[in-house]
Amino acid sequence: MKHAFTVLRYTLLRNVRDIPSSAEMVLSPLVLIFLLGTVLGDAFESRDIGATPVTYVVETDGPYAEALHDFLNREEVGRYLTVTESQTRVEAHRLLEAKEVITAIIVGAVDDGDAQDGGATGPAITLLERPGSSLRTGVVRSVLGTFTRGANVSYALAREGRTGVVYEPIPAEFEERTLSRAGRAPGAFDFYAVSMLVLFVMYIAQYAVYGLREDLMEPIGDRVRSTPIAGWAHISGKLAAHVVTGVIQAAVIVIVTSIVFRANWGTQPLLLVAIVLSICIFAAALGGLVLAITWDGRRAEGIISIVVLVSMILSGGAFQFTTTSPSFQAFQRLLPHYQGQRAILAMVYGGDAGAIGAAFIYFFGGAAILFLITTVLARRTA
Amino acid sequence: MVVRMQRVTKRYGDVVALDNVDLTIERGEIVGLLGPNGAGKTTTISGVYGLTRFDAGEVTLFGHPAKRIDPGIKRRMGLVPQDIAVFDDLTAGENVSYFGRLYGLSGRALTEGVSFALEFTGLNERRDQRPKSFSGGMKRRLNIACALAHRPELVILDEPTVGIDPQSRNHILESVRALNRDGTTVIYTSHYMEEVEAVCSRVIVMDHGRVIASGTQSDLKALVSDEETIDIELERMTPRVVEAVRSVAGVKECLPEGTHLRITVERDGVRLGRVIEKATGLGVEVLSAQIERPTLESVFLSLTGRTLRD
């Protein structure tokens, strides 16, 4: 252990003196955050999409049709929908094709099939939408959903024998709540600060490769291995130095992005440090493993730079994308960038605490396994 | 006995780096491993240090089998690698201190060890400077200092003078002699025969992974020839001088070449003064005289048919 501390101490001293590398490690993510945050900032801004123009056709009679008509013409619905009534489906189609409306609501006759099967009966509602308007159609669907749920409740109460049940929406004001505990909606800088921090911390793997390559494979390696230091003490001291350096540089990035970009890092600095520490340890162990497998410093550095970058992109760290493929989502969970980013975002925005726990297990457990394999491989190869 | 290697073999693929090597090194010796590049010198010392695993044979260090070298044994040795192995971003003092700590030094022993190593290599005044500002010779000396702070009983120097100026080379050679005077056993590899001749009490000549000769310098030179050549330059050449010199006991051959006489004599059998007396006695002045003895270079040439730098 004494030898490991000696290696840690002197490697830290060398890292501190290596000002160009330290500056590069800190400045690179800051520049990336600035570029991505500026260029892709619009993708993170919320904007008022206004009321969605809608037409509706009611082809049936009865209380449901009347209630829907009243509902769609209420003042509070007007905040979200600009409603015009069409007399026929043909007219509704024409408005759609003329791009005068985004969506057409068709309320058809009672579905006899359902009635014969003893199921619930009611008008058939069809939504016709213009291509590329899924967001606005979603608004229509939501608004219509509130009416349908209310109507269903009225119907159920009537079936129980209650009389005089009338659908009457309760006037209510929506309260907009941001995800941020600091009261600020997350923007591009908030997101990219997290993503680039994780990316930078994962690049600790490359520094670990450089340090170990120097001490295991270059002339100095012969000298180190001729001393009485044990292999595990040497490797762990070396990796620990890069972990400490990484955590300090990460702290600088967090402070600078907080001040310059007003990035939101939440209110739990110790938890943030713990997450960053776990990623650093994992990254250092990953670097050691790749070097031990390839036993070629340049190749190891090349592999790591690709793996780290691809991991970031596939995790949605460069640009957000959604996927519904369960297998891809499962694959994403295996990526270190995904785990790190998810844990920090969950910590900052009060998300799923399980995500933080899962990240700790992933990074600490993974690092232990990687370090074990590295020590065995390094001894064998040496 | 400090080191003993018995029938040691090492192969790298089809290349036999060491072929049944036997050698012993006694306490207090300066042993020179002499041979051209690729002779197996570095592989030999790497094996002694446990940095290379041999395919066959046995090695003992300080009487202990060296299959897995005990940390205690490692503390008794110091390695000066062929390539300079110091950190450019640590000062000279920090470099020596770092490796001293890895050898188990701490506290006062470390402080004294670092001072000793820097003083010994003439770098004490540069202890707070980083090697990137050093000359090649100073880096070589720091390379040596890093192996000395723990005062090893056995120091292995692998080509320690490659690419340095004569002044630094002389300093290093004198350091090696001083180490040995303090009781340190030294293994010195080189392909510069002048260096080996200058410092080594015993020489092991290697070529193509084999030990082809071993012994003191006199022993090795005796392998080549039991004759010496004396070259005398005279003021003028006369037949009487040639006859007079030929008559000296121990002279085997005397050939005039212009004003020069090339005299072949039994090794250590003829005194130069006796030959000069014969010439001057006949009134011929001797302008210069030189004894040409076999060198390790000629020994190597004789044994392998190649020069050391081939």
Side-chain angles (χ1 to χ4, degrees), chain A residues 122-358:
Chain A
I125 302 175
T126 306
L127 288 181
L128 303 175
E129 63 183 274
R130 273 214 328 251
S133 59
S134 57
L135 175 65
R136 285 173 173 248
T137 304
V139 173
V140 177
R141 200 185 301 275
S142 296
V143 172
L144 209 56
T146 61
F147 169 77
T148 307
R149 281 190 291 278
N152 287 341
V153 171
S154 302
Y155 177 73
L157 291 172
R159 292 264 300 211
E160 283 181 356
R162 296 201 191 180
T163 56
V165 177
V166 177
Y167 175 75
E168 181 65 37
I170 301 167
E173 288 297 321
F174 289 96
E175 181 192 357
E176 186 176 333
R177 300 184 66 178
T178 65
L179 283 171
S180 165
R181 286 183 174 182
R184 206 151 45 82
F189 284 114
D190 299 305
F191 176 78
Y192 286 117
V194 172
S195 182
M196 292 304 112
L197 180 75
V198 174
L199 179 73
F200 144 76
V201 170
M202 283 303 299
Y203 273 118
I204 293 294
Q206 268 197 328
Y207 280 74
V209 167
Y210 178 80
L212 287 175
R213 181 183 78 180
E214 186 181 41
D215 274 23
L216 291 176
M217 298 158 67
E218 292 180 3
I220 216 143
D222 280 352
R223 166 156 269 156
V224 171
R225 280 185 284 132
S226 72
T227 67
I229 187 172
W232 69 266
H234 176 231
I235 294 173
S236 58
K238 203 80 191 170
L239 295 183
H242 291 296
V243 167
V244 172
T245 308
V247 170
I248 293 170
Q249 289 173 338
V252 173
I253 292 171
V254 168
I255 292 167
V256 171
T257 53
S258 298
I259 296 169
V260 178
F261 303 130
R262 296 196 66 230
N264 184 10
W265 291 104
T267 55
Q268 301 176 81
L270 288 180
L271 186 55
L272 178 61
V273 168
I275 295 171
V276 168
L277 178 67
S278 70
I279 304 172
C280 280
I281 291 172
F282 178 86
L286 178 68
L289 178 70
V290 176
L291 181 67
I293 290 172
T294 60
W295 208 242
D296 180 332
R298 290 188 185 281
R299 187 180 297 174
E301 285 178 5
I303 289 172
I304 285 169
S305 65
I306 292 170
V307 166
V308 169
L309 197 63
V310 169
S311 167
M312 186 267 286
I313 292 169
L314 293 180
S315 301
F319 47 87
Q320 292 175 302
F321 59 91
T322 54
T323 174
T324 53
S325 163
S327 55
F328 185 74
Q329 287 174 343
F331 169 71
Q332 276 187 315
R333 285 190 203 99
L334 296 174
L335 300 173
H337 192 100
Y338 178 86
Q339 290 288 344
Q341 184 174 281
R342 184 162 166 255
I344 295 176
L345 289 172
M347 186 271 296
V348 173
Y349 298 107
D352 180 13
I356 301 172

Side-chain angles (χ1 to χ4, degrees), chain A residues 2-3 6-7 9-10 13-14 17 214-215 219-220 222-229 379 382, chain B residues 49 51 74-75 79 81 83 85-87 89-90 94 97-99 101-103 106 130 143 146:
Chain A
K2 191 175 154 190
H3 280 154
T6 297
V7 176
R9 178 182 156 190
Y10 280 85
L13 188 59
R14 295 180 57 216
R17 288 178 181 168
E214 186 181 41
D215 274 23
I220 216 143
D222 280 352
R223 166 156 269 156
V224 171
R225 280 185 284 132
S226 72
T227 67
I229 187 172
R379 184 181 300 170
Chain B
Y49 240 106
L51 301 178
K74 283 190 171 181
R75 284 194 191 97
L79 174 68
D83 296 309
V86 298
F87 295 110
D89 34 22
L90 295 179
E94 287 164 347
S97 177
Y98 176 66
F99 289 106
R101 286 173 191 273
L102 294 189
Y103 276 108
S106 60
R130 297 186 200 175
N143 202 31
C146 289

